Amino acid sequence: MEWWKDALVYQIYPRSFQDSNGDGIGDIPGITSRLDHLQELGVGAIWLSPVYPSPNDDNGYDISDYKDIAPEYGTLEDMDRLILEARRRGIRILMDLVVNHTSTRHEWFEKSRRRIAPYTDYYHWAPAGPDGSKPNNWTGFFGEDCWQWDDVREEYFLHLFARTQADLNYRCPQVLDEVEQVLRFWLDRGVAGFRCDVINLLWKDSLADGKERLALTGMEHYLSLEGTHDILRRFRKVLDRYKAFTVGEAVFVTPDMARDLCGPERGELDMVFSFEHMECDQYLIKWLKRDLRPKKFFKCLIKWQEELPWNAIYLENHDQPRSIPRFGSEGYWRESGKLLATLLLTLRGTPFLYQGQEIGMVDFDFDGLDQIDDVESRNVDRVLKGLHVPEALRWRIIARTSRDNARTPMQWDDGPNAGFTTGRPWLGVNRNFHFVNLADQENDPDSIWNWYKDLSALRREREALRRGDFLWLECTDRVFVYRRRLGEESLTIALDLSDRPARVGSRGKLLRSNYRRDGFDGRLAPWEAVILEDEAT
Ligand code: TEU
Ligand code: CA
């Protein structure tokens, strides 16, 4: 029953996880060869970022065939084997469902642009205005405008993301049928469910002009609308037959919107990824970063803990910079890495761990834009260049926020290319792999890796950590103290997110600390995290 409330989910970015054939690109046999690592960590499910055929303009989020595996990642047989081998280790597989858009190389698009039935209206097509102007004033997510002219059809098509990611038109009933077939295709092969990409954008109510905004003009025409809820309830009917699980990536959601997407009575999603806690270190948009204000961060976490019965908990994914430089401190790399692990594994909800986080991987150490692959980063650089922003500043902006920070290859050991590939890696390996790698940390009882393993086991042992209530006790500009309680079982977690010692009011039997100490007297060292067993009152 609701296995996903007890599971730790591990996200794999296949391109960067493990290469098995020396072409420099991670692949499915590579993942299968590393399943023991995940089993040791106590992982209950893997979310696989897309492995379908794709021109890779957005690394697989531009899909050209939903029912196959990209040749560089392997074959359907490799996928079947991964599902089987994972199952043998008690690990479920979640596929990435990217159905807001397809690649413009998808057969549906190729036919739609030629007005071949029934594909004619699979996408949002619109003619140019009298002066050749775009159909509306909307702006896109990737720093470019969201209408692309198609010479074949002689109309514009809508793309909220990259120019080669055309938005599907859910007003056309066949589109929904197609997606339901995709769901069944993978569920029949034994996957346990889906992570649903930008799922709250599916339904566009009209293509009318939007309100001008700094970021994303037009979003009132597609953000979490009733049409999307209807689609999700349709999907649910298919999913229920397989008892399948879904987590939706929901951009710009408020707690109210999130509840409507995943409240248990809604019959839509099981949980969502919300973004508000990832916005505590920015001015207005993600490219304008500022120092983290811990109190704002804690308050945001508290708000989402209190307002949603259950949610996905995460600090990293393939779109975000690494968490230690961002929410922790590189000066206290080990301590803050363990503190963030503690936060992730003791909040109420399903924790999602991103590959490399379990060994404290940090942002890339690239020197310039030519080492960056990400389409979003490149677009944003182009836009900034157009605004005459000098190169050094452009690089600072991109380096701090680029999605490639999270996409550098997994650091397995201190051999060539960190054990990721015997060939030339598709994206640079961080040079710190000589001292940040799994093999070393396996041999070090005090490592971040062993801390994750230990806490993951503690979470499996202590039902209060999984199913217990959440109650916050202290929240200051650096200290966060909260309690998880279920029946008689009550645990208190106290965190100091600063380079200075702190005092908290809680006492109790010390279960864990990321410092060596015997008992707890209310004093926290810099970046200390403690878990206390509350004495019965
Ligand atoms: O991301 C959607 C999204 O809105 C952002 O997280 C995005 O990465 C960017 O930060 C916007 O500024 C999802 C996927 O996770 C991402 O990898 C894809 O590129 C995107 O959808 C399109 O499929
Ligand atoms: Ca490969």
Side-chain angles (χ1 to χ4, degrees), residues 163-175:
R163 203 170 306 173
T164 53
Q165 290 168 303
D167 282 50
L168 283 164
N169 174 16
Y170 281 86
R171 284 173 188 281
C172 171
Q174 287 95 332
V175 170

Side-chain angles (χ1 to χ4, degrees), residues 362-396:
V362 296
D363 291 337
F364 64 56
D365 56 349
F366 298 163
D367 306 307
L369 201 74
D370 54 333
Q371 288 161 287
I372 287 199
D373 169 89
D374 176 30
V375 58
E376 183 191 37
S377 305
R378 293 181 160 278
N379 284 351
V380 166
D381 182 68
R382 213 182 26 243
V383 171
L384 294 175
K385 198 170 173 181
L387 296 170
H388 305 290
V389 177
E391 188 177 340
L393 179 57
R394 259 158 40 216
W395 174 239
R396 259 184 33 223

Side-chain angles (χ1 to χ4, degrees), residues 48 68 83 107 140 150 206 284 302 324 359 423 536:
L48 264 192
D68 204 352
I83 294 170
E107 187 195 338
D150 185 60
S206 82
L284 297 163
I302 290 169
I324 292 180
I359 55 167

